[in-house]
């Protein structure tokens, strides 16, 4: 059984924007797409550690604000000629609230 943590309202994140959830082991960027889908990723670009939460959201991809690397928010994989991957976390929206998978956030601290 998956345990989810309520991190706030969907409306707290602007369309095509992000919110950072701080954990004891690091930050998770929670993105809202233009069509109200939600993705949660490690808030660090695989290239040089840029803050992805400050990146440009386009469709289900985000572009790092530092050097323009693009990541698929479904898989965390870098796109195009770039190589690398960032961690993704399960997220869902229910009743206008955003929930993150608590087990994945906890597992991250064990790494």
């Amino acid at each position: 059984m998956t345990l989810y943590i309520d991190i706030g309202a969907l409306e707290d994140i602007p369309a095509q924007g992000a919110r950072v959830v701080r954990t004891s082991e690091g930050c998770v960027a929670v993105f809202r797409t233009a069509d109200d889908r939600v993705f949660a990723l490690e808030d660090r670009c695989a290239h040089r550690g840029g803050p992805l939460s400050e990146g440009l959201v386009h469709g289900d991809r985000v572009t790092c604000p530092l050097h323009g690397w693009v990541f698929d928010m479904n898989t965390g994989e870098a796109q195009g000629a770039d190589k690398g991957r960032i961690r993704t976390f399960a997220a869902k929206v229910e009743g206008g609230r955003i929930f993150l998978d608590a087990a994945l956030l906890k597992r991250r601290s064990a790494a």
Side-chain angles (χ1 to χ4, degrees):
M1 180 175 154
T2 302
L3 177 65
Y4 285 90
I5 297 173
D6 183 339
I7 62 158
L10 179 64
E11 294 179 357
D12 292 343
I13 303 175
Q16 296 181 291
R19 175 180 175 192
V20 176
V21 176
R22 300 187 195 292
T23 73
S24 61
E25 300 299 322
C27 294
V28 174
V30 180
F31 297 94
R32 176 181 175 187
T33 65
D35 58 358
D36 291 337
R37 291 178 293 149
V38 172
F39 297 93
L41 299 97
E42 183 177 20
D43 191 22
R44 255 180 85 75
C45 175
H47 176 225
R48 297 246 172 141
L52 290 178
S53 58
E54 296 176 19
L56 176 66
V57 175
H58 43 101
D60 57 0
R61 301 185 194 294
V62 61
T63 299
C64 179
L66 293 185
H67 300 101
W69 280 37
V70 177
F71 294 91
D72 182 323
M73 295 192 290
N74 294 290
T75 64
E77 293 286 336
Q79 303 297 290
D82 299 321
K83 302 292 180 202
R85 184 173 188 201
I86 53 176
R87 294 186 65 144
T88 61
F89 304 95
K92 64 180 181 179
V93 177
E94 288 183 359
R97 305 289 300 178
I98 301 170
F99 295 87
L100 292 183
D101 184 338
L104 290 175
L105 291 173
K106 188 174 183 178
R107 200 175 309 154
R108 180 177 185 207
S109 67

